[in-house]
Amino acid sequence: MAFWWPLLVLALALVICKFLLMLLPSNVPSINVDASDVLDDGNQTKENSFIYIPSRRQTDKVQCYEPATMKYLGFFPALKPDEVKERVAQARKAQKIWAKSSFRQRRQFLRILLKYIIEHQDLICEISSRDTGKTMVDASLGEIMTTCEKITWLLSEGERWLKPEYRSCGRSMLHKRAKVEFYPLGVIGAIVSWNYPFHNIFNPMLAAIFSGNSIVIKVSENASWSGCFYLQIIQTALAAVGGPENLVEVITGFAETGEALVSAVDKIIFVGSPAVGRMIMRKASDTLIPVTLELGGKDAFIVCEDVDVPHVAQVAARAALQSSGQNCAGAERFYVHKDVYSSFVAEVVKIVKSVTTGPPLAGKYDMGAICMQEHSEKLQNLVTDAVDNGAEIVGRGHVGNIGEGAVDQYFPPTVIVNVNHSMELMQEEAFGPILPIMKFNSDEEVIKLANDSKYGLGCAVFSGSQRRAKQIASQLHCGVAAVNDFASTYMCQSLPFGGVKDSGFGRFAGIEGLRACCLVKSVVEDRWWPLIKTKIPKPIQYPIAENGFEFQVSLVEALYGLTVWDRLRALVHVLKILKGQNPSTNNKRRNE
């Protein structure tokens, strides 16, 4: 007992010291970012207040407007290939400087960003809301919290996972030391989607910059306005730590711009649809650069009969309706055990009927506008097809006062039952606030149903038995699984994120995502240099001796024989050959 007391006292003292250090004010400077261009001061003229643009596919500029109100926000240039290559060239020069930066400098950059984000949550969420139509709450959940968690994880563990990692040397290289070293790749390219404009920029940027790279991010034409402001935050923070200009670039444009980026960088990260992901892969094959694809999803949400139905129904509603259907890893297929099917549907309908959709900054709305033009029409087509094939709408939310002259970019949350896998709604990614609920009878059946999809991003399994939920989740073919919860994996930033099948491949976030921004180099060196060096045994030196092959056979047996006695006997033969002897048993053993 006396032995443990000093250890306990020491541990307690360390805890107290750590707590006291947390109370000390951090030495992190504040940054000022000019937000005058993105603040709605109400001084816009009547002519420019509202504008309807039939298509964003302009050839020379990207038009920006609020999906909720169609208020004009401005425009940005659609960069041509030569302009993209010039941006990448500037980022490449900056990267050569940044690659020599210390982890201390990189951590300070992250701390400055974290401080700014925490102090300006309202501004960041409002900009995200105006550009994509999501509510402030959804912006906070999906944009702020995930980004802060990633920064915190990198501050805590990032350097550890980028330091050289020592590995075992094996039996033949006992005199060596083996390690893996991680070097920056150069210029990372990212083409990101519109659904989380703040997080989708910061997520690849943080990993790229912390690992010593530069990054050029092509933002979606549906969220260029916010993306260009978020770049100002990053560049101001970099300047505060003495980082080079052009280390982080945000570019705007359409398909031509994205194709040019893929052709110019050292790695491409793409977040978007499977169709565009395939085009990215084809383009990347020209220069043979690594690709990470995070594509569509049709995540299964499984509810067993032994759950707390009201609680799980609330989670299900959040999973399907978050961010006005702008969900990342959101649930799109709901499988409910027959014994609780009716009660679960009733609970979900009650929740959905209480949800009101409207301009997110104009009042207290649970959901905002659909960001992409004409997407509400696509959602209605999926619903209509399901109803025409026997499905039934049992509950819908409300659309609030969206104002006169506003374009119809709102879709009420919708609960549909009597669905099956022959319907497009259960096969195609909806990316909208629709809850199609299907009944199942057994665990085996629901596993088969959940795996019957071309997508494989994530899943959520709910059961009163955690063991049962884990067993079901382990048999689902997807990259992300939550047991008795939804989307909690993404708040654990030590975990990789990504899918399989048409949901893509490769991983971002976590250790795997951080190291995916690196050139992974295997290094072997002498352990006791210069005392012990590798020397080629005489039987296999050039010209190879007559018994060179016999030597090799005996050496393999000495190193890898299945029993100790086999290895000892082979070692004796190796030593005899090295001494110039030619054991008579060798030929006999070879013939056997």
Side-chain angles (χ1 to χ4, degrees), residues 543-580:
I544 295 175
E546 184 177 341
N547 60 356
F549 181 67
E550 291 185 17
F551 171 81
Q552 273 301 119
V553 171
S554 296
L555 181 61
V556 169
E557 292 179 353
L559 290 170
Y560 309 110
L562 297 181
T563 69
V564 173
W565 297 114
D566 288 341
R567 294 200 294 271
L568 287 175
R569 281 194 296 268
L571 180 60
V572 171
H573 286 288
V574 168
L575 295 175
K576 287 182 177 180
I577 293 174
L578 288 175
K579 289 182 178 180

Side-chain angles (χ1 to χ4, degrees), residues 274 278 281 293-296 298 333 427 447-457 475-479 498-507:
R278 291 184 177 92
M281 282 191 65
L293 300 179
E294 198 275 281
L295 308 177
K298 198 72 181 172
R333 297 178 295 156
Q427 295 295 335
I447 291 168
K448 184 177 180 180
L449 288 169
N451 285 329
D452 180 26
S453 174
K454 61 183 178 182
Y455 297 104
L457 186 54
Q475 298 178 69
L476 302 186
H477 193 43
C478 60
V500 295
K501 298 189 284 188
D502 277 17
S503 292
F505 59 83
R507 297 293 183 266

Side-chain angles (χ1 to χ4, degrees), residues 160-270:
R160 168 190 172 190
W161 298 111
L162 292 177
K163 284 184 174 181
E165 183 177 285
Y166 287 88
R167 306 283 180 87
S168 62
C169 295
R171 293 178 180 176
S172 62
M173 293 287 122
L174 286 175
H175 59 299
K176 299 287 187 179
R177 184 166 51 195
K179 60 181 176 179
V180 180
E181 295 178 343
F182 303 94
Y183 297 92
L185 281 172
V187 182
I188 306 295
I191 302 176
V192 299
S193 61
W194 48 267
N195 56 335
Y196 291 99
F198 181 75
H199 176 68
N200 285 349
I201 288 176
F202 273 67
N203 181 40
M205 181 277 297
L206 291 168
I209 299 304
F210 195 80
S211 55
N213 298 279
S214 61
I215 187 168
V216 180
I217 306 168
K218 192 268 180 191
V219 291
S220 169
E221 56 268 32
N222 298 297
S224 297
W225 179 74
S226 58
C228 290
F229 172 71
Y230 297 147
L231 173 65
Q232 295 180 47
I233 301 173
I234 297 167
Q235 290 179 332
T236 306
L238 278 170
V241 298
E245 293 184 11
N246 309 120
L247 188 67
V248 178
E249 290 279 357
V250 166
I251 60 175
T252 53
F254 303 104
E256 181 185 43
T257 307
E259 290 177 7
L261 181 63
V262 177
S263 301
V265 296
D266 302 305
K267 174 186 171 71
I268 194 72
I269 299 170
F270 174 71

